[in-house]
Amino acid sequence: MRRMTDQTKEERFQAIVLPHLNSAFNLARWLTGSHQDAEDVVQEAYLRAYTFFDSFNSHRSNASNGGEDGRPWLLAIVRNTFYTWYEQKQTRNAHTALFDEQSDDSYGHHNATGEDPNEFANVHQQANNDPENLLLQKDCEQQLQLALRTLPLEFREVMILRELEDLSYKQIAAIVDIPIGTVMSRLGRGRQLLAKKLIASGVSGVTTPVSVAAKRQEL
């Protein structure tokens, strides 16, 4: 296939990929747990996307949806970029632990995104100090967001792609590179874990859908 000219490549990239910047940041924010880290991941992902944009199969884009196929293609790159970033972060943390014996007690207390569960526990403690707050819908939504953040990565990523990005099982399977059946299984398991976390935090029932309560994180 003949390579695009620089001008054509830039025009197509702006039309197909750039409109999905918020989706890219949303996924990165929920995976990293940090606004700043999400910005770094998205920046690197867009550089990768532009570099390899010649490989994007234009015929996959449905003319009726204005090239919507650019979104799952981009999100797959964002996810891969995140895992590269995460592995590098884990390596740096391991090297730091070797030279700092004092870190041994706290090193294992961070989840896959580097977030401190104690911070979330404090939020739960503050919320539970006033049971009346749990009657308010806003507080229930905050508990839901908190529970979603603390899900293991393998469940959190499919939950975000399905509930917040409204992607199909087929699209999620392509992004995460797993069978559709595994996508459905992880979604089911993720919802069960989410429900258990909410019960443990003192929320007996939440009527607000995940897609509404866990609002998009936008730039």
Side-chain angles (χ1 to χ4, degrees):
M1 183 178 67
R2 189 177 63 180
R3 292 176 60 87
M4 293 179 286
T5 64
D6 290 342
Q7 180 177 354
T8 300
K9 178 178 179 178
E10 184 172 351
E11 290 175 351
R12 291 192 66 237
F13 187 82
Q14 290 180 355
I16 296 174
V17 180
L18 283 183
H20 306 301
L21 177 60
N22 281 335
S23 290
F25 180 78
N26 185 54
L27 177 60
R29 176 65 180 82
W30 281 102
L31 292 179
T32 64
S34 163
H35 188 100
Q36 181 61 54
D37 289 336
E39 288 182 341
D40 292 342
V41 168
V42 170
Q43 182 177 22
E44 176 62 25
Y46 263 81
L47 288 174
R48 292 187 184 186
Y50 188 78
T51 299
F52 298 105
F53 190 61
D54 287 324
S55 67
F56 180 78
N57 296 321
S58 60
H59 67 271
R60 292 175 56 205
S61 298
N62 188 326
S64 65
N65 63 18
E68 180 67 19
D69 273 1
R71 184 161 65 113
W73 181 80
L74 173 63
L75 293 182
I77 296 176
V78 171
R79 178 184 178 272
N80 292 338
T81 303
F82 160 74
Y83 278 103
T84 299
W85 169 87
Y86 170 62
E87 290 171 3
Q88 292 172 346
K89 183 176 182 179
Q90 291 294 88
T91 299
R92 289 194 300 269
N93 289 344
H95 288 165
T96 299
L98 291 175
F99 295 98
D100 186 1
E101 294 181 357
Q102 297 299 324
S103 68
D104 289 344
D105 292 335
S106 61
Y107 179 63
H109 294 171
H110 290 77
N111 64 13
T113 64
E115 296 170 330
D116 187 350
N118 291 328
E119 177 184 348
F120 297 132
N122 290 337
V123 175
H124 282 301
Q125 183 75 27
Q126 293 170 7
N128 290 333
N129 284 339
D130 186 0
E132 291 183 355
N133 287 338
L134 295 177
L135 299 176
L136 301 176
Q137 185 66 26
K138 180 178 180 180
D139 291 329
C140 290
E141 292 175 6
Q142 290 175 345
Q143 294 286 357
L144 179 55
Q145 291 185 36
L146 178 59
L148 185 58
R149 281 185 206 163
T150 58
L151 285 180
L153 274 172
E154 62 181 321
F155 302 118
R156 192 190 327 155
E157 63 182 2
V158 294
M159 290 283 287
I160 297 306
L161 292 171
R162 179 62 176 174
E163 303 294 349
L164 271 67
E165 293 303 326
D166 198 28
L167 294 176
S168 67
Y169 295 146
K170 182 177 180 180
Q171 289 173 320
I172 297 172
I175 292 172
V176 184
D177 195 22
I178 56 177
I180 292 179
T182 304
V183 171
M184 298 173 68
S185 176
R186 288 186 183 180
L187 283 170
R189 179 59 177 157
R191 289 173 180 133
Q192 290 176 355
L193 290 173
L194 192 64
K196 289 181 179 179
K197 288 178 179 292
L198 289 172
I199 293 173
S201 68
V203 181
S204 60
V206 176
T207 59
T208 303
V210 173
S211 57
V212 175
K215 299 179 178 66
R216 274 191 174 193
Q217 307 290 331
E218 299 189 348
L219 287 172

mmCIF file of all heavy atoms in Angstrom, residues 20 30 35 71 74 77 93 108-109 115 117 125-127 135 138 157 162 165 172 180 188 199 210:
data_model
loop_
_atom_site.group_PDB
_atom_site.id
_atom_site.type_symbol
_atom_site.label_atom_id
_atom_site.label_comp_id
_atom_site.label_asym_id
_atom_site.label_seq_id
_atom_site.Cartn_x
_atom_site.Cartn_y
_atom_site.Cartn_z
ATOM 1 N N HIS A 20 -11.028 11.903 19.396
ATOM 2 C CA HIS A 20 -11.195 10.957 20.496
ATOM 3 C C HIS A 20 -10.205 11.214 21.628
ATOM 4 O O HIS A 20 -9.899 10.313 22.417
ATOM 5 C CB HIS A 20 -11.054 9.531 19.973
ATOM 6 C CG HIS A 20 -11.967 9.238 18.823
ATOM 7 N ND1 HIS A 20 -13.340 9.346 18.925
ATOM 8 C CD2 HIS A 20 -11.710 8.886 17.537
ATOM 9 C CE1 HIS A 20 -13.890 9.051 17.757
ATOM 10 N NE2 HIS A 20 -12.931 8.772 16.908
ATOM 11 N N TRP A 30 -8.310 6.559 34.306
ATOM 12 C CA TRP A 30 -8.810 5.484 35.142
ATOM 13 C C TRP A 30 -7.780 4.377 35.323
ATOM 14 O O TRP A 30 -7.793 3.671 36.330
ATOM 15 C CB TRP A 30 -10.098 4.911 34.561
ATOM 16 C CG TRP A 30 -11.296 5.749 34.862
ATOM 17 C CD1 TRP A 30 -11.927 6.623 34.020
ATOM 18 C CD2 TRP A 30 -12.013 5.816 36.097
ATOM 19 N NE1 TRP A 30 -12.985 7.221 34.661
ATOM 20 C CE2 TRP A 30 -13.064 6.745 35.939
ATOM 21 C CE3 TRP A 30 -11.868 5.176 37.327
ATOM 22 C CZ2 TRP A 30 -13.960 7.042 36.956
ATOM 23 C CZ3 TRP A 30 -12.763 5.473 38.341
ATOM 24 C CH2 TRP A 30 -13.799 6.393 38.152
ATOM 25 N N HIS A 35 -4.000 12.324 37.187
ATOM 26 C CA HIS A 35 -4.218 13.247 36.074
ATOM 27 C C HIS A 35 -2.915 13.494 35.304
ATOM 28 O O HIS A 35 -2.889 13.432 34.071
ATOM 29 C CB HIS A 35 -4.779 14.564 36.608
ATOM 30 C CG HIS A 35 -5.213 15.523 35.528
ATOM 31 N ND1 HIS A 35 -6.531 15.671 35.170
ATOM 32 C CD2 HIS A 35 -4.497 16.363 34.725
ATOM 33 C CE1 HIS A 35 -6.613 16.573 34.199
ATOM 34 N NE2 HIS A 35 -5.396 17.003 33.920
ATOM 35 N N ARG A 71 -11.565 5.355 17.191
ATOM 36 C CA ARG A 71 -11.585 5.371 18.657
ATOM 37 C C ARG A 71 -11.053 4.072 19.253
ATOM 38 O O ARG A 71 -10.132 4.109 20.072
ATOM 39 C CB ARG A 71 -12.993 5.683 19.189
ATOM 40 C CG ARG A 71 -13.044 5.798 20.710
ATOM 41 C CD ARG A 71 -14.295 6.535 21.164
ATOM 42 N NE ARG A 71 -15.496 5.802 20.854
ATOM 43 C CZ ARG A 71 -16.315 5.272 21.771
ATOM 44 N NH1 ARG A 71 -16.043 5.398 23.055
ATOM 45 N NH2 ARG A 71 -17.391 4.632 21.417
ATOM 46 N N LEU A 74 -7.339 3.817 18.616
ATOM 47 C CA LEU A 74 -6.560 4.705 19.483
ATOM 48 C C LEU A 74 -6.522 4.177 20.914
ATOM 49 O O LEU A 74 -5.464 4.189 21.564
ATOM 50 C CB LEU A 74 -7.156 6.110 19.469
ATOM 51 C CG LEU A 74 -6.543 7.108 20.454
ATOM 52 C CD1 LEU A 74 -5.074 7.351 20.119
ATOM 53 C CD2 LEU A 74 -7.329 8.423 20.433
ATOM 54 N N ILE A 77 -3.969 1.625 21.541
ATOM 55 C CA ILE A 77 -2.630 2.211 21.656
ATOM 56 C C ILE A 77 -2.448 2.824 23.044
ATOM 57 O O ILE A 77 -1.396 2.695 23.667
ATOM 58 C CB ILE A 77 -2.387 3.252 20.562
ATOM 59 C CG1 ILE A 77 -2.404 2.577 19.184
ATOM 60 C CG2 ILE A 77 -1.063 3.989 20.784
ATOM 61 C CD1 ILE A 77 -2.261 3.536 18.015
ATOM 62 N N ASN A 93 10.417 1.345 40.826
ATOM 63 C CA ASN A 93 10.066 1.121 42.226
ATOM 64 C C ASN A 93 10.885 -0.013 42.838
ATOM 65 O O ASN A 93 11.310 0.063 43.988
ATOM 66 C CB ASN A 93 8.577 0.803 42.354
ATOM 67 C CG ASN A 93 7.694 2.012 42.100
ATOM 68 O OD1 ASN A 93 8.166 3.144 42.111
ATOM 69 N ND2 ASN A 93 6.416 1.769 41.861
ATOM 70 N N GLY A 108 4.608 -2.762 49.427
ATOM 71 C CA GLY A 108 3.528 -3.616 48.937
ATOM 72 C C GLY A 108 2.158 -3.039 49.145
ATOM 73 O O GLY A 108 1.168 -3.692 48.869
ATOM 74 N N HIS A 109 2.074 -1.795 49.642
ATOM 75 C CA HIS A 109 0.770 -1.219 49.962
ATOM 76 C C HIS A 109 0.200 -0.372 48.851
ATOM 77 O O HIS A 109 -0.709 0.390 49.072
ATOM 78 C CB HIS A 109 0.879 -0.361 51.234
ATOM 79 C CG HIS A 109 1.185 -1.188 52.446
ATOM 80 N ND1 HIS A 109 1.513 -0.617 53.651
ATOM 81 C CD2 HIS A 109 1.215 -2.536 52.622
ATOM 82 C CE1 HIS A 109 1.742 -1.575 54.533
ATOM 83 N NE2 HIS A 109 1.565 -2.745 53.926
ATOM 84 N N GLU A 115 -1.655 4.036 43.291
ATOM 85 C CA GLU A 115 -2.486 4.759 44.233
ATOM 86 C C GLU A 115 -2.369 4.105 45.603
ATOM 87 O O GLU A 115 -2.182 2.890 45.726
ATOM 88 C CB GLU A 115 -3.948 4.735 43.781
ATOM 89 C CG GLU A 115 -4.173 5.445 42.455
ATOM 90 C CD GLU A 115 -5.566 5.191 41.927
ATOM 91 O OE1 GLU A 115 -6.132 4.117 42.208
ATOM 92 O OE2 GLU A 115 -6.075 6.064 41.238
ATOM 93 N N PRO A 117 -4.001 2.677 48.766
ATOM 94 C CA PRO A 117 -5.315 2.278 49.279
ATOM 95 C C PRO A 117 -5.655 2.948 50.601
ATOM 96 O O PRO A 117 -6.826 3.114 50.929
ATOM 97 C CB PRO A 117 -5.158 0.756 49.448
ATOM 98 C CG PRO A 117 -4.088 0.370 48.479
ATOM 99 C CD PRO A 117 -3.132 1.539 48.491
ATOM 100 N N GLN A 125 -13.616 6.115 55.594
ATOM 101 C CA GLN A 125 -13.773 6.397 57.013
ATOM 102 C C GLN A 125 -14.532 7.693 57.224
ATOM 103 O O GLN A 125 -15.456 7.777 58.038
ATOM 104 C CB GLN A 125 -12.388 6.484 57.680
ATOM 105 C CG GLN A 125 -12.425 6.712 59.180
ATOM 106 C CD GLN A 125 -12.816 5.458 59.930
ATOM 107 O OE1 GLN A 125 -12.587 4.364 59.450
ATOM 108 N NE2 GLN A 125 -13.414 5.628 61.089
ATOM 109 N N GLN A 126 -14.144 8.724 56.440
ATOM 110 C CA GLN A 126 -14.795 10.025 56.583
ATOM 111 C C GLN A 126 -16.261 9.940 56.188
ATOM 112 O O GLN A 126 -17.131 10.535 56.833
ATOM 113 C CB GLN A 126 -14.067 11.058 55.722
ATOM 114 C CG GLN A 126 -12.655 11.360 56.214
ATOM 115 C CD GLN A 126 -11.879 12.189 55.217
ATOM 116 O OE1 GLN A 126 -12.439 12.641 54.220
ATOM 117 N NE2 GLN A 126 -10.608 12.381 55.472
ATOM 118 N N ALA A 127 -16.538 9.173 55.126
ATOM 119 C CA ALA A 127 -17.925 9.064 54.671
ATOM 120 C C ALA A 127 -18.769 8.310 55.682
ATOM 121 O O ALA A 127 -19.915 8.667 55.946
ATOM 122 C CB ALA A 127 -17.970 8.358 53.311
ATOM 123 N N LEU A 135 -27.191 8.620 52.402
ATOM 124 C CA LEU A 135 -28.536 8.727 51.846
ATOM 125 C C LEU A 135 -28.578 9.662 50.656
ATOM 126 O O LEU A 135 -29.531 9.667 49.899
ATOM 127 C CB LEU A 135 -29.510 9.221 52.925
ATOM 128 C CG LEU A 135 -29.656 8.321 54.152
ATOM 129 C CD1 LEU A 135 -30.576 8.971 55.178
ATOM 130 C CD2 LEU A 135 -30.181 6.960 53.742
ATOM 131 N N LYS A 138 -25.293 11.966 45.709
ATOM 132 C CA LYS A 138 -23.946 12.393 45.377
ATOM 133 C C LYS A 138 -22.909 11.560 46.091
ATOM 134 O O LYS A 138 -21.892 11.178 45.507
ATOM 135 C CB LYS A 138 -23.773 13.879 45.729
ATOM 136 C CG LYS A 138 -22.384 14.418 45.406
ATOM 137 C CD LYS A 138 -22.287 15.896 45.728
ATOM 138 C CE LYS A 138 -20.899 16.438 45.412
ATOM 139 N NZ LYS A 138 -20.796 17.894 45.717
ATOM 140 N N GLU A 157 -10.291 -2.127 33.450
ATOM 141 C CA GLU A 157 -10.176 -1.659 32.074
ATOM 142 C C GLU A 157 -11.386 -2.048 31.226
ATOM 143 O O GLU A 157 -11.883 -1.247 30.426
ATOM 144 C CB GLU A 157 -8.879 -2.156 31.435
ATOM 145 C CG GLU A 157 -8.749 -3.644 31.294
ATOM 146 C CD GLU A 157 -7.410 -4.060 30.686
ATOM 147 O OE1 GLU A 157 -6.572 -3.172 30.414
ATOM 148 O OE2 GLU A 157 -7.198 -5.269 30.470
ATOM 149 N N ARG A 162 -16.505 -0.605 28.617
ATOM 150 C CA ARG A 162 -17.904 -0.957 28.379
ATOM 151 C C ARG A 162 -18.868 0.082 28.939
ATOM 152 O O ARG A 162 -19.766 0.564 28.236
ATOM 153 C CB ARG A 162 -18.201 -2.331 29.008
ATOM 154 C CG ARG A 162 -19.651 -2.782 28.845
ATOM 155 C CD ARG A 162 -20.028 -2.955 27.386
ATOM 156 N NE ARG A 162 -21.395 -3.477 27.261
ATOM 157 C CZ ARG A 162 -22.017 -3.611 26.097
ATOM 158 N NH1 ARG A 162 -21.407 -3.309 24.977
ATOM 159 N NH2 ARG A 162 -23.251 -4.077 26.060
ATOM 160 N N GLU A 165 -17.158 4.090 28.014
ATOM 161 C CA GLU A 165 -16.908 4.346 26.597
ATOM 162 C C GLU A 165 -17.941 3.697 25.685
ATOM 163 O O GLU A 165 -17.966 3.944 24.489
ATOM 164 C CB GLU A 165 -15.502 3.873 26.211
ATOM 165 C CG GLU A 165 -14.378 4.673 26.868
ATOM 166 C CD GLU A 165 -14.458 6.159 26.556
ATOM 167 O OE1 GLU A 165 -14.884 6.512 25.447
ATOM 168 O OE2 GLU A 165 -14.115 6.967 27.440
ATOM 169 N N ILE A 172 -14.000 -4.280 22.571
ATOM 170 C CA ILE A 172 -13.200 -4.442 23.781
ATOM 171 C C ILE A 172 -12.242 -5.615 23.631
ATOM 172 O O ILE A 172 -11.072 -5.538 24.029
ATOM 173 C CB ILE A 172 -14.107 -4.642 25.010
ATOM 174 C CG1 ILE A 172 -14.965 -3.389 25.241
ATOM 175 C CG2 ILE A 172 -13.271 -4.947 26.253
ATOM 176 C CD1 ILE A 172 -16.024 -3.559 26.312
ATOM 177 N N ILE A 180 -13.907 -12.730 23.181
ATOM 178 C CA ILE A 180 -15.134 -12.060 23.599
ATOM 179 C C ILE A 180 -15.693 -12.697 24.866
ATOM 180 O O ILE A 180 -16.190 -12.003 25.767
ATOM 181 C CB ILE A 180 -16.186 -12.085 22.472
ATOM 182 C CG1 ILE A 180 -15.720 -11.210 21.298
ATOM 183 C CG2 ILE A 180 -17.542 -11.594 22.985
ATOM 184 C CD1 ILE A 180 -16.677 -11.197 20.121
ATOM 185 N N GLY A 188 -18.554 -9.510 34.145
ATOM 186 C CA GLY A 188 -19.381 -10.084 35.194
ATOM 187 C C GLY A 188 -18.661 -10.113 36.528
ATOM 188 O O GLY A 188 -19.231 -9.745 37.561
ATOM 189 N N ILE A 199 -20.797 -2.680 49.228
ATOM 190 C CA ILE A 199 -21.401 -3.193 50.457
ATOM 191 C C ILE A 199 -20.444 -3.022 51.627
ATOM 192 O O ILE A 199 -20.836 -2.617 52.722
ATOM 193 C CB ILE A 199 -21.786 -4.681 50.285
ATOM 194 C CG1 ILE A 199 -22.923 -4.812 49.272
ATOM 195 C CG2 ILE A 199 -22.186 -5.288 51.627
ATOM 196 C CD1 ILE A 199 -23.263 -6.243 48.918
ATOM 197 N N VAL A 210 -23.166 2.847 36.515
ATOM 198 C CA VAL A 210 -21.743 3.158 36.541
ATOM 199 C C VAL A 210 -21.410 4.242 35.539
ATOM 200 O O VAL A 210 -20.637 5.154 35.801
ATOM 201 C CB VAL A 210 -20.918 1.882 36.236
ATOM 202 C CG1 VAL A 210 -19.435 2.230 36.085
ATOM 203 C CG2 VAL A 210 -21.107 0.861 37.339
#
